[in-house]
Amino acid sequence: MALLYMRRITGLDMYEGLYEPVPDTGKVLERIGLAGLEVKHDLRTLDMLIDGFITHIPFENLTVAYEHKVPSLAIRDLYDKIILKKRGGYCHELNGLFYAFLKSLGFDVYCLAVFVRENVDGLPTLGHRSTMCIIDGRKYFADVGFGKTMAGFAVPVDGTLRGDFFIRYEDGEYTLFKTRSEERRVGKE
């Protein structure tokens, strides 16, 4: 059982480099295999963008593991590394760039601080970053930086089953469930 606790990130003014627009949305679309896509602010497009990121940009932490560096999370640096140099990244990098990309395309999005906790004694809670997207007044959990165990599409935050996933809000916390395996908890907004 894995638990995800979500909290909306606010007060970002001092970190403006982390939330600036991507330099060229066309190059991002090209990198994720969707060059020329007519972007609409709908669920189908959001799902295509999530799938494009997951299938074309690898989840990796080579900068940390082999170069022993903490990578910059500034959007221009992420764009350079992931889009221009065709590298991958870990959750804070991938979801940070994805958030900025969606925002640059005109989607209504906000950042989430998520805490992952496996139901294993002694395993610490892990920090994670994700994105919430609002389409036609409905909230969707959109994550491109959790690897294969996360949905490859947007998950509605209203209890509706989508694929194998649904999210329930109870006692001030969002809980993400995967019907065929693990339960994940997604915390307070």
Side-chain angles (χ1 to χ4, degrees):
M1 176 191 310
L3 303 175
L4 299 180
Y5 299 94
M6 278 197 292
R7 187 165 288 134
R8 185 176 185 161
I9 300 172
T10 59
L12 303 175
D13 295 341
M14 65 188 246
Y15 303 106
E16 61 188 48
L18 304 180
Y19 300 94
E20 62 189 9
V22 296
D24 185 342
T25 56
K27 287 213 183 289
V28 179
L29 286 169
E30 183 179 314
R31 171 76 167 95
I32 64 172
L34 297 171
L37 175 71
E38 180 186 341
V39 175
K40 297 178 182 176
H41 300 115
D42 59 17
L43 183 57
R44 181 176 181 274
T45 301
L46 179 59
D47 284 343
M48 290 172 66
L49 297 173
I50 291 170
D51 182 67
F53 256 77
I54 290 172
T55 58
H56 289 82
I57 300 174
F59 179 87
E60 53 99 330
N61 65 351
L62 298 174
T63 302
V64 175
Y66 295 106
E67 297 174 22
H68 306 289
K69 295 179 186 174
V70 176
S72 168
L73 297 177
I75 297 306
R76 289 187 185 277
D77 295 334
L78 295 176
Y79 178 85
D80 181 61
K81 174 186 175 185
I82 296 169
I83 303 306
L84 300 181
K85 293 180 180 172
K86 299 188 184 331
R87 294 262 319 269
Y90 71 106
C91 66
H92 291 277
E93 294 173 294
L94 298 176
N95 281 319
L97 183 63
F98 189 65
Y99 160 84
F101 176 57
L102 291 177
K103 189 98 173 149
S104 296
L105 291 173
F107 279 89
D108 184 3
V109 292
Y110 59 87
C111 301
L112 297 172
V114 180
F115 302 95
V116 180
R117 187 179 68 187
E118 296 290 336
N119 192 19
V120 177
D121 289 335
L123 188 64
T125 300
L126 303 173
H128 182 67
R129 177 182 176 165
S130 195
T131 303
M132 188 73 76
C133 186
I134 303 168
I135 298 173
D136 296 329
R138 191 173 183 196
K139 292 181 181 180
Y140 292 91
F141 180 68
D143 196 302
V144 298
F146 204 79
K148 289 180 153 182
T149 59
M150 187 54 69
F153 47 83
V155 180
V157 185
D158 63 5
T160 303
L161 180 66
R162 187 145 196 253
D164 290 339
F165 295 87
F166 68 97
I167 295 175
R168 181 182 305 145
Y169 184 77
E170 189 174 291
D171 298 327
E173 294 181 342
Y174 290 101
T175 305
L176 174 65
F177 294 92
K178 185 172 182 186
T179 59
R180 294 202 178 127
S181 65
E182 309 167 19
E183 173 187 321
R184 292 187 169 74
R185 177 161 283 172
V186 187
K188 298 177 182 177
E189 181 175 358

